[in-house]
Amino acid sequence: MIVVMKSGSPEAEINRISDELKGWGLTPEKIIGQHKVVIGLVGETADLDPLQIQEVSPWIEQVLRVELPYKRASRQYRHGEASEVVVDTPEGPVVFGEHHPLVVVAGPCSVENEEMIVETARRVKAAGARFLRGGAYKPRTSPYAFQGHGESALELLAKAREVTGVGIITEVMDAADLDKIVEVADVVQVGARNMQNFSLLKKVGAQPKPVLLKRGMAATIEDWLMAAEYILAAGNANVILCERGIRTFDRQYTRNTLDLSVVPVLRKLTHLPIMIDPSHGTGWSEFVPSMAMAAIAAGCDSLMIEVHPNPAKALSDGPQSLTPDRFDHLMQELAVIGKAVGRWPQPAVAIA
């Protein structure tokens, strides 16, 4: 249930209404929109009469029920407005959101060594990426595949951040590693295989860094939004949704099926920012450029693209990784689409 305040409502009155509703056993959450303030009500609201709440103050414009099961993730919860996720990086805040320039995230599947990760960070930043992605802890289908270097890889990501100023996005697999990851990461990623690891989602939601939530390989859109709800309900309002392809009946030609239809669907259902990962979505580097351009045209807020200096020798996901030179060229191609839809940022300044 949401309480929509009239334009110009005094702050003191908003606080008074919140305090009164707390006395009803509800948890009010103030949401400051572009034009109005909305108070989201969490708790047992099924038996509450909206008219009863309306009588609490003449400054209340209307009281609406949120019928969807994902209350906080619902676009209704923000009275139709999109939310922004602001990420602090060494070079200042970067904003993910519907009304902001596209944010590009790039880097290797796994952190392999210092030279490789620092040089990749330099190259992707020079091309225009704002964040470096790199796995320290890697979930793999086979127990014999490379699992990542763990804590030592976090140190290398911190070095890349220090040298280049890019933000860092890396994945958490185990809650036991969360504190170490939060010290380094600007955004904490929950991968597809952990999308419904509800105990992990609660712990990730209780820490302060923004969270990137990847869609599970067999997850419906509602499953995905309910997973986001766990993070939001735990207290972290800064969630970015990432579509990375789902499994369908045909895996001969692409690794997964990249579901670009989620962009308009999510835009209707949720206020959360939307990222597309065409690298995992297709599994082959030759298909990444066209899907990245299509994602921008569809209206996504961010792209995650795998880049490796030598894909043939990558310890994981080499076939879907672009070389730095190909990524440079792709960013020029993406700029054409991005500018056409009014979402392309100013070029990054190359590092000497």
Side-chain angles (χ1 to χ4, degrees):
M1 186 171 280
I2 60 171
V3 177
V4 183
M5 303 300 298
K6 293 179 180 177
S7 296
S9 294
E11 182 72 17
E13 182 65 3
I14 294 171
N15 293 335
R16 185 194 70 77
I17 294 169
S18 296
D19 290 340
E20 182 168 341
L21 294 174
K22 285 179 185 176
W24 295 17
L26 302 172
T27 302
E29 297 181 355
K30 184 168 68 173
I31 303 162
I32 301 175
Q34 187 174 358
H35 303 293
K36 296 180 180 180
V37 172
V38 173
I39 303 174
L41 300 180
V42 180
E44 294 297 326
T45 61
D47 296 330
L48 281 179
D49 183 352
L51 293 177
Q52 183 182 5
I53 299 176
Q54 187 90 42
E55 293 173 355
V56 169
S57 170
W59 286 99
I60 295 176
E61 183 173 288
Q62 59 182 152
V63 181
L64 302 169
R65 289 195 181 277
V66 179
E67 304 293 345
L68 298 168
Y70 40 90
K71 306 297 183 184
R72 291 175 171 89
S74 167
R75 198 166 181 109
Q76 290 177 278
Y77 195 72
R78 293 185 61 89
H79 199 48
E81 290 192 12
S83 59
E84 300 173 347
V85 173
V86 181
V87 184
D88 292 323
T89 74
E91 297 191 341
V94 177
V95 184
F96 292 79
E98 180 181 350
H99 303 298
H100 293 274
L102 187 91
V103 179
V104 177
V105 179
C109 177
S110 302
V111 179
E112 297 175 6
N113 56 64
E114 181 175 336
E115 181 182 2
M116 169 266 203
I117 198 64
V118 171
E119 182 57 27
T120 303
R122 288 181 184 274
R123 289 295 303 271
V124 299
K125 179 185 177 181
R130 303 299 303 274
F131 290 85
L132 174 72
R133 61 143 298 155
Y137 303 89
K138 292 301 301 177
R140 305 299 298 277
T141 302
S142 169
Y144 309 113
F146 176 63
Q147 307 287 316
H149 290 307
E151 191 169 352
S152 64
L154 292 177
E155 296 172 2
L156 299 181
L157 286 170
K159 178 69 173 180
R161 187 180 192 270
E162 177 187 352
V163 170
T164 66
V166 292
I168 297 296
I169 298 179
T170 194
E171 182 173 353
V172 60
M173 287 178 55
D174 190 324
D177 301 316
L178 184 57
D179 289 344
K180 292 178 289 189
I181 290 170
V182 167
E183 288 181 9
V184 173
D186 298 291
V187 178
V188 177
Q189 176 180 313
V190 177
R193 291 170 175 81
N194 273 313
M195 190 205 81
Q196 290 185 304
N197 183 341
F198 300 124
S199 61
L200 179 61
L201 295 179
K202 290 176 183 178
K203 289 181 172 63
V204 168
Q207 60 79 44
K209 294 290 181 71
V211 179
L212 175 66
L213 179 64
K214 286 201 162 188
R215 184 183 185 181
M217 291 178 283
T220 66
I221 289 175
E222 186 163 308
D223 290 338
W224 190 12
L225 291 173
M226 289 304 294
E229 191 76 8
Y230 267 90
I231 300 169
L232 296 168
N236 194 324
N238 296 306
V239 178
I240 303 163
L241 300 173
C242 181
E243 160 64 29
R244 45 81 67 205
I246 53 175
R247 285 193 172 170
T248 59
F249 52 83
D250 191 348
R251 299 190 69 202
Q252 180 178 358
Y253 302 106
T254 58
R255 178 177 179 178
N256 297 292
T257 297
L258 186 63
D259 184 6
L260 289 183
S261 69
V262 299
V263 178
V265 171
L266 289 176
R267 196 67 84 204
K268 177 181 178 181
L269 297 177
T270 183
H271 56 85
L272 300 174
I274 305 162
M275 178 185 290
I276 297 293
D277 176 355
S279 300
H280 281 89
T282 63
W284 297 101
S285 60
E286 64 184 297
F287 301 145
V288 169
S290 58
M291 288 297 94
M293 287 186 278
I296 297 176
C300 74
D301 305 314
S302 178
L303 286 171
M304 176 178 278
I305 298 171
E306 291 202 356
V307 178
H308 191 285
N310 190 347
K313 294 186 177 180
L315 295 181
S316 57
D317 288 352
Q320 66 193 35
S321 300
L322 303 181
T323 64
D325 286 346
R326 183 65 186 91
F327 180 68
D328 289 344
H329 183 65
L330 174 60
M331 289 294 282
Q332 296 172 28
E333 295 175 316
L334 297 182
V336 176
I337 308 297
K339 291 175 182 177
V341 297
R343 299 292 301 276
W344 198 246
Q346 294 296 317
V349 177
I351 302 174

